[in-house]
Amino acid sequence: QQPVQSPQAVILREGEDAVINCSSSKALYSVHWYRQKHGEAPVFLMILLKGGEQKGHEKISASFNEKKQQSSLYLTASQLSYSGTYFCGTEDTGNQFYFGTGTSLTVIP
Amino acid sequence: GAVVSQHPSRVICKSGTSVKIECRSLDFQATTMFWYRQFPKQSLMLMATSNEGSKATYEQGVEKDKFLINHASLTLSTLTVTSAHPEDSSFYICSARDIQGSYEQYFGPGTRLTVT
């Protein structure tokens, strides 16, 4: 089951914040976050394994809710280099892995 | 860090021919490799999960006789697109999971296939 991401696309000015959400219809084993630039392979950002977990650093962080069905990626004080398409990847208890629908993020000066 | 290579990076072939794409984990052993296909402006769609020494597990809707996957060693998996057609043109990406148990997937740089 492909997880659903929201929003589909967002445009930010440098320095603004963004939140990208990833939602699954059932409880997950883990959630991964990736950023993909045009024509390139995805780059791993982070993985969350525990319900209620929050991790990352000041600029890019993520959370995983207690029920392990929703995750959010937080981008703070965005930079031009943050532009790209962000995907969550979810793994269920049967070790099935699926990428989310993607969120296109554009940061403008 | 873990490195995964793919070869070739770009291939153009005629309709009806077969194309083989290699995916190698260069500095780690991978019991599991994944093959994805990505059409323009779309998400990565998992095609199959490849486990070393056993048959690949294909996702629903992916023809196993058309997309042959072989995972002969802990560092190499191959995807062969047989009798390719223009609709098979896509970006094919592999990823590998470290045998040591890390949950992270390490992605190859991708292969752009164009079938004319």
Side-chain angles (χ1 to χ4, degrees):
Chain A
Q1 286 279 8
Q2 184 178 36
V4 177
Q5 287 181 234
S6 63
Q8 282 185 302
V10 59
I11 299 174
L12 302 172
R13 290 197 181 278
E14 263 187 299
E16 292 182 337
D17 303 340
V19 180
I20 299 171
N21 301 301
C22 174
S23 180
S24 171
S25 59
K26 56 182 182 179
L28 300 164
Y29 180 77
S30 67
V31 64
H32 307 215
W33 284 97
Y34 295 86
R35 176 171 58 213
Q36 186 180 30
K37 302 277 187 178
H38 181 69
E40 298 178 9
V43 172
F44 175 79
L45 296 176
M46 66 187 80
I47 180 175
L48 297 101
L49 292 163
K50 300 176 184 176
E53 184 176 6
Q54 293 191 351
K55 73 189 303 182
H57 53 75
E58 186 183 327
K59 296 282 190 177
I60 301 178
S61 61
S63 64
F64 200 9
N65 76 342
E66 288 288 348
K67 289 187 176 181
K68 301 183 75 173
Q69 286 183 265
Q70 292 182 351
S71 178
S72 295
L73 183 71
Y74 306 93
L75 303 168
T76 305
S78 58
Q79 304 168 14
L80 295 176
S81 61
Y82 287 6
S83 293
T85 302
Y86 289 79
F87 293 100
C88 65
T90 59
E91 184 171 16
D92 63 23
T93 51
N95 297 126
Q96 289 287 92
F97 188 90
Y98 297 101
F99 274 90
T101 48
T103 297
S104 172
L105 179 77
T106 305
V107 181
I108 58 175
Chain B
V3 179
V4 175
S5 70
Q6 262 183 261
H7 178 79
S9 58
R10 190 178 289 264
V11 58
I12 301 173
C13 69
K14 289 188 181 297
S15 188
T17 60
S18 295
V19 174
K20 179 186 281 189
I21 303 170
E22 291 186 350
C23 178
R24 291 181 187 274
S25 56
L26 298 185
D27 52 1
F28 67 99
Q29 293 182 318
T31 46
T32 304
M33 288 184 171
F34 304 88
W35 285 97
Y36 296 89
R37 180 168 52 184
Q38 186 177 34
F39 293 107
K41 296 188 178 181
Q42 293 188 23
S43 184
L44 287 80
M45 300 306 296
L46 181 65
M47 298 175 67
T49 303
S50 165
N51 292 299
E52 187 264 338
S54 62
K55 291 184 179 180
T57 303
Y58 290 81
E59 293 298 302
Q60 198 170 19
V62 178
E63 299 174 58
K64 61 181 180 181
D65 294 330
K66 181 172 180 61
F67 298 99
L68 301 178
I69 291 173
N70 183 276
H71 192 160
S73 76
L74 286 171
T75 58
L76 173 65
S77 177
T78 60
L79 167 68
T80 302
V81 183
T82 62
S83 188
H85 289 99
E87 56 266 30
D88 297 324
S89 299
S90 188
F91 192 47
Y92 291 85
I93 308 174
C94 72
S95 71
R97 180 170 272 178
D98 195 325
I99 196 174
Q100 295 299 323
S102 165
Y103 296 100
E104 180 179 342
Q105 288 190 38
Y106 302 99
F107 283 85
T111 297
R112 176 76 58 191
L113 171 65
T114 304
V115 185
T116 61

